[in-house]
Structure formats: structure tokens, C-alpha cells
Amino acid sequence: MSDPKSLLVIDGNEVDVRPGETILHAARRIGIDIPTLCHDDRLDPAAACRLCLVEVEGARLMQPACATRTSSNMVVRTAGGRVERNRRFILSLHLADTIQERAVCEDNGPSRLHEMAELHGTAGVWPAIESERAARPDDDNPYVAFRPDRCIACSLCTRYCDQVEAVSAITMAARGARTTVSTADRLALTDTTCELCGGCIDVCPTGAMSERPALVYGKPEAELEKVRSTCNFCGVGCQVDLNVDRAANHVVKVTSPPPGTTVNDGNLCVKGRFANDFIHHEDRLTTPLIRAEDGSLQPASWEEALARTVEGLARVKSEHGADALAFISSSRCTVEENYLIQKMARAAYGTHNVHQCAAT
Amino acid sequence: MTTYGAGAMTNSIPEIRDADFLLVIGSNTSEAHPIIAMEMKRAVRRGAKLAVADPRAIWMTEIADWHLQIQPGSDVWLLNAMAHVILEEGLEDREFIERNTEGFESVAETVRRYSPEEAETVTGVPAATIREVARAYATTPKAGIYYTLGITEHTTGTDNVYALSNLVLMTGHLGQRSAGLNPLRGQNNVQGANDAGATPVFYPGYQSALDPGVRRKFAEAWGVPQSDSPGLNLNQMMKAMDDGSIRGLYLMGEDIVISEPNVAHVEEAMNHLDFVVVQDIFFNESCRFADVVLPAACFAEKDGVFTNSDRRVQRVRKAVDAPGEARADWEILVEVMRRAGLEQPDYPSPAEVYDEMAALAPKFSGISYQRIEAEGGLQWPVPTADSPSTEYLHKGGVLRGKGLFQAVEYRAPAECADPEYPLVLSTGRTLYHYNAGTQTRRSAGPQLKQPEAFVEVHPRTARRLGLDDGALVDVVTRRGRVRCRAMYSRQVAKRVLWMPFHFPEARTNYLTNDAGDAVTGTGEYKVCAARLEPVAEQGPAEQRFRGAFAAAGAD
Ligand code: SF4
Ligand code: SF4
Ligand code: FES
């Protein structure tokens, strides 16, 4: 397929050159995984973290694989002393800029930075970098907690907000070691264009952006069990992971499966990610109710309630015919439940009067 | 839709990012389907052209190349005028029309009378814009149309969809990646509920309930003769409740007292019923009329599948136990059927319920829990165990023979503005809340962003009435009166009002029109005539309003 002239070489393997492709993606095609920290396939590269530097023959400095486009006759080395030394150096540097102890750093979600450090090693523990990062003013938004002391200025969150959610609620502010995330005019997040999608939390490699309710709950993600399910709000059908505290029978938070794996490509909206308080809300119905003589609804056993249900429906049917019954179901219920309710209408009661409540 | 096969997105959600032209009509995508909006944003960043047709300057218009700010209810005019331009300029796909469609001539005939110039006077969209958008649509191969309730929630909802489908058929934008006709479903499992036959006209898998052969098949499968008397759709049910021909109601997971148009009427009708069962996760408004209330499990507490907008059948998995004695809806239904004397198999789990349905519905016959487990979500049709998931429909031509053109004429909405009700009220959903609000209004974030009911009104209209931004106001239609907060907004045109329907203390559906579409019975939520009445004494009114909010709101 490929023109023999438009080849490049990565670690001794010949690879065809595709227009616009980066070294990172060309390498992935042949099964070479170059470690990255500030890269995300959904975002334009920022080349901010320098973890992905590789050697390119003829270039004096190493080049970021996430941002460098391939060209014919390019010769790339993704391993070897210089490349690996850089990785360890960069990982030590970033660790010194955040929480060095993995368990503490992962009090909310997993940290990609620590994961990379464990995988590729470091150049030792360096003294913590004392940066005076300007914190945002206290922010009372219920969902996104920002802990500036952990931020390594990789700009994943701001690029996500800008390019994927496209609301640009947060930006990188200040320079050098003081660079951090802020909002325009340092407003509280809920006073900005922020739509509380929580994407910034998901992409952050250090837990600087984290989920407030889960932090308050106090169990790190690693101690929760993930149950893959489908969001119950709109018709997109985002796949979600319900993060469950098994002992407490409690859904602590909802996260997205990794990008590139499901229909939502790692994204969620405010409802899917955060509007789950209803699950454990105190207003949930917990017992059947039946209408008493005095007209009030009173708690009853399932036995009584089901008997009353069947008897009431049977009476209407015998007095007025099957078509005097109507069954309304919900698109909130599962396919199986909708199948069963139409079976109930058609087979148990003998009417086609069954409709789900939403026409679209 | 009857035009080509079953109503579902012809494309897949992940294909949107590769489209080169998108027409978004009657869909506030960034609020109602945020994740689909992300795909659209991605396409636009890549250089795709975006046209948004909506009465409001919704967020999507910020990144759009064209905003066609149409007068609510004038969609057919706009779409026919686009077809007019396409034919006038010879941009149609003759070969596709020839090979795959029927009825082209009558549409060509009809749209000849819909000139963009005249369209401008009815729709408010400049003729030049209509021409530009029509050209861009017709001449871009990867061109997709996306619509939602803004198209269907009209008395002319079916016509609107025909008009869209005509555009698709005449340009041949079908049966390819990123090019097709895509209804975005408003709720998680609307597609699945329809697929499963929770509709009076279809058994599972869109097999017609009017077809005696189909009825015989199900009579045999279930061991019970099947009624030949046609069923009622939701809109007809409401009317039948009112006139006394429906006497018993079983409500599963829906709060019709808040979600149906012309709510006052529904409440009255509920009072006429002899027997009402409500099965839900919360004590909703409809429970006030119930004889029996059955506590149900929510999605996190049960197993099953949901089918999303792009026909993807995906698993719901039980994560926690339901509170108290609440039970999964499927378990309750099986138990009720048994007690009603219809013997039921011992379903160990919903997987076996699914298998029963799949065996009866060829569209899904190849889908099973085992396959979903192994392959992830599967997009129907999947007729056999070795058929692959279907990414987009109508590959290599139109499903079920030929695509049928349907000429449609403009009909005015059932209710137009008049001297007594000089404004047009449209309703919809917002990003932060969901339907009747029973779930989202129990969450902190949505409550913080949008705590109260409001009506969007253009500042000019408001000022003429002496109405301050944030003041309380009564919105009045022929059916009722609702008090809420006026919110100045340039998103709406001057004669248009817009309200979300998530707030029980200000029930928008006291106002909306229950005149239904002739085919689907969907209520005309999107257009009715209204007027605003400023509230004279803001102080006391304010206190009462807050009180109502506290009573209805979270915690
Ligand atoms: S929550 Fe979403 S919208 Fe808000 S700042 Fe984070 S990425 Fe941006
Ligand atoms: S907050 Fe997290 S994601 Fe954002 S720049 Fe800092 S480290 Fe990166
Ligand atoms: S991943 Fe390439 S510079 Fe961060």
C-alpha cells in the first residue's frame, strides 16, 4: 500500500508515514507504547509534561512524541539510555511538585503520574518544590474540588474544558512554577460557564481536580468496587461505572470507563456523573402502600398490596371489559420490564392499551 | 417512521465526529444530549459546517455557521423550502432517487410551491440563508440530520419528520457512515421501550398489532388469544380516562400528573378512575390518586438492558440492594401476571426475559446477555447469533424495499398567537434537570445552578409589560396559569416564551396543549398561545413562591 519512499523507522521497525500522524500514534500502530502524561487522544497535544520525549536522528534535542509529526526517512528511538533517563528524571520532577506518597495522592481517584512512576521508575525522591501557587478563592460548588498544591500544570483539565466540553470555564494562569488552573476573573466555578461535567476531574493525573462528594465520603476509588452499567438519564446510553462501597451498600460516585472504549468516549455530563443522590435519598419508597377506608395511603405487606392490585384490575375488567384498562410504562424501566408490561396488558389482561410515556 | 423501516438513528453516535455537515433541528443538543453535543463540537473543530434550526439562540448556535431562528411550528415551511432550492438548482441525487425511492414526483410537485422568499415571511429565516444551507446540505456527501422533540412534539410532528426524510431521500444522504437521519431519544430507554412493544400498535420488534398473523404468533407463544380491538396511545388514553371509557390504570415509573400536557385536565381525569396502581421509586404526584403504590428498585439496584438512541443494547447491572422492601419492576410484573392467572416461566434473571423476547422478535434474535458481555453493546438489527452489530442502517440501499417520499403541506400549529394570547410559549428540558425532576431535584448541583422555575422572555417584551428581570410573573394560556420567575433572555425571539418543565411547583404542563399529532398522539408541547401577567405585589407573592419551592424542592 505505502509508497516505499514514505517510510520511517521506529526502534528498527519500518512504518509507513501517514499524513499528520504523530510519532506517538505511529508507534502505537506497531505495538510500541510510549509513556505519556499530558496526552489524551481527545485533545490537541500540549507537549507540557515532557515524559514522552524520544530521540529523532538528526535532531540535537529529544522530541515530544505526542506532538511531533512523522515524516519519511525519520528514524526514531523510543528506548535506550537517554530516553529512559529522561523519563525517570521527569517523573521525579513532577512527583516533587505534587504529593509524593502514592496512597495520599490517590485519596480520590487513581493517579496516572504515580502509575507511570511505578512502571518506569524515577530518579529518586527529590525535595518538594515549594511553589507559591495562587489558590482560587474559596469555591462552594458542590462537585469539583481543586487542590492547587497537587497541580503539575499539565493543562489536561483546561484543554478538556476548552476542546471537549467547549465551555472554557477554566484556564492556565500565571507563569513558571506558579502556573496553575484558574477561572476567568477568579470567579467561583458555578459563576462561570462551567457545566459541572466533571471531565476535568477525570483527566487530572494527580488528584488536583477531584470529586468533592467522594472526598467527603472518604473512601478512595481503589477501595470501591466498580460496577459497569448504563446511565439512566438521556438517550445517549453512556456507559458508567458505579463505584460501590460494598460494606455500606452505597454508590459513592459515578465514573466513566476510559476514553476509546465505549460510546461516550470517556465523557459524562453533569447528570450522569453527579445527579446520583436520588439513589440513596430518604424519600425513596420502601414499602407498599394501599388506600385505607379513610382515604389515606397506609403501609402494607407485599402480599396485601399484590392481592389488592390483582383484585382491582380484575374488577375493572369484569365490569367494563379489558379495554377499560390502560397500562403506562416508562422509558426509565429496562427493555425486559417494558416487554413484560406489554405482555401483561396483552396476555394477562387482553388489551393493546399499553404505551410508554415518551414518544421520542 | 413508516418512510424507511423503524424509527431509530440511522447512524451511530461515534460517527458524528466524522460528519462534514450537520443540520441540528429542534434539538437543544448541548443541554438535552451533552455527550452527542461533544461529538458535534468535535466535528466542528475538525471543520464541519453546522446549521442549527431552533426558535431560541441555544448554545449550539454559538459554534454554528448558520442559526435559522424559526418561528415555532413553521418547520415544514423551512424544510420544504430547502427541498425547493435543492430541486431548483438540480442538486438532487437522481441515481439514488431512481434506484432506492418511490413517490419523488409528488414531493417535487409540492415543494415547487414553497419558495425560500415566501418561507422567509412565515419562518422568519432569510431566504438567502435557506438557500445557503440547502446547498451546503445537498452538496456535502457526509451530511447528517439530527432532531429531537422540537420536531416531534407538535400536532404536525409526523409531517415534520416526513419533510426531513424527503430531504434525506432526494440527496441520497443515507446508508453511509456519518450521513443519515437521526432522532435523538430524549430518555435513556425510549428506544428500548418501543423496541419491546410498549406501544399499542406494535408487538416487540415492530411487528404490527393490526396484523392477524402477528397476533396469532403471539397468541401461540403466550398461550392466550390476542384481542383484535386496536389499542389506545397515550394521548387517547388521557381522553378515554376523561370520558369514562378507561376505568383502571397501571402506571409504571411515570408521573403523568406532571409530565403530560394540560395537567389540570389529567388530574381531573384521574379522579374519574375506579382503580389506579402506581409503581415507582418515589412517592410522585400521581400517587395521590393511587389505590395501591408499589415501591420499585432504581436502575442501580437491578439487572437488565437499556437501548440507546443509536440502537445499542447495553447492560444495566445491579450495584446495590434496593432500600427497604422495594423490588425490581420486572419481578413485580411477573408476580402480578401469575396472580392474575397467567402462568409465567421461572425467570432466574432478566436475561431469560430478554431471551423470550429475542426469540419472538427477529430484529433482536441474535442478541443475548452472553454476547453483550463478550462484545459490549450491540446495535440492532442483529437477526442471528453470527450477525454482527449494525453500525449504520440501510447500507447499500433502503431497508424494506424502497424509501417512500411523502409530500407534506404546511399546517399552522393547533393554537396560534392572537390578541388575547399574543405570545407563543414553547417548553423543553435543561442541562441540569431531567423530566419531572424527581431525580435531579434531589441533587445539589442542579439545585444550585437552577433552583427555581423560570420563563425566558425577551427583554423588550418584558419591559413593555413593565416586568423586571427576576420578577415573579404569571404565564397564562387557555388551559391554566402558572407562576414563576421571569428571566430576561435574548435566546428567545421577541414574541416567544420558553419554559423548562422540571419544576413541580410551577407545572408547565398546566399550560401546554394536549392536541395530539394525528399519527403518534404526541402532545403539542412545543407551541401554544400565551400571555404574561405581571404580579402586582411582589413581596407577598415572593414569600408564597419560596414556600412552594421549599415544599417541592430537595430535602
Ligand atoms: S466540570 Fe467540566 S465544564 Fe466545569 S471546569 Fe471542569 S471540564 Fe470545565
Ligand atoms: S489540575 Fe490536574 S489536570 Fe489540571 S493542570 Fe493541574 S495537574 Fe493537570
Ligand atoms: S505526553 Fe507528550 S509532552 Fe506530555
Side-chain angles (χ1 to χ4, degrees), chain A residues 282-350:
Chain A
E282 60 187 16
D283 290 354
R284 285 288 301 276
L285 284 168
T286 55
T287 172
L289 306 171
I290 53 183
R291 185 76 59 192
E293 296 279 329
D294 67 354
S296 66
L297 281 168
Q298 293 298 334
S301 69
W302 272 104
E303 189 53 43
E304 292 167 300
L306 288 168
R308 181 80 169 264
T309 299
V310 174
E311 172 204 304
L313 295 172
R315 182 144 26 85
V316 172
K317 182 175 170 177
S318 71
E319 284 171 17
H320 305 281
D323 285 340
L325 290 171
F327 297 80
I328 296 178
S329 79
S330 166
S331 51
R332 324 304 321 287
C333 297
T334 63
V335 169
E336 293 83 352
E337 288 159 352
N338 277 283
Y339 170 78
L340 289 170
I341 200 167
Q342 62 89 37
K343 182 181 182 187
M344 177 155 118
R346 292 180 161 126
Y349 289 98

Side-chain angles (χ1 to χ4, degrees), chain B residues 22 81 193 216 239 282 322 364-365 375 388 396 411 458 481 546:
Chain B
L22 306 109
R216 220 172 302 122
K239 304 227 148 87
F282 286 112
F364 322 123
S365 290
E375 300 169 45
R411 286 183 287 126
H458 193 280
R481 164 187 301 267
R546 293 240 169 111

Side-chain angles (χ1 to χ4, degrees), chain A residues 247-310:
Chain A
N249 190 46
H250 197 91
V251 178
V252 178
K253 64 173 179 179
V254 176
T255 51
S256 170
T261 58
T262 65
V263 65
N264 40 314
D265 199 13
N267 307 310
L268 287 175
C269 81
V270 58
K271 290 186 285 265
R273 193 188 300 272
F274 293 122
N276 47 47
D277 307 4
F278 75 91
I279 299 174
H280 301 296
H281 201 277
E282 60 187 16
D283 290 354
R284 285 288 301 276
L285 284 168
T286 55
T287 172
L289 306 171
I290 53 183
R291 185 76 59 192
E293 296 279 329
D294 67 354
S296 66
L297 281 168
Q298 293 298 334
S301 69
W302 272 104
E303 189 53 43
E304 292 167 300
L306 288 168
R308 181 80 169 264
T309 299
V310 174

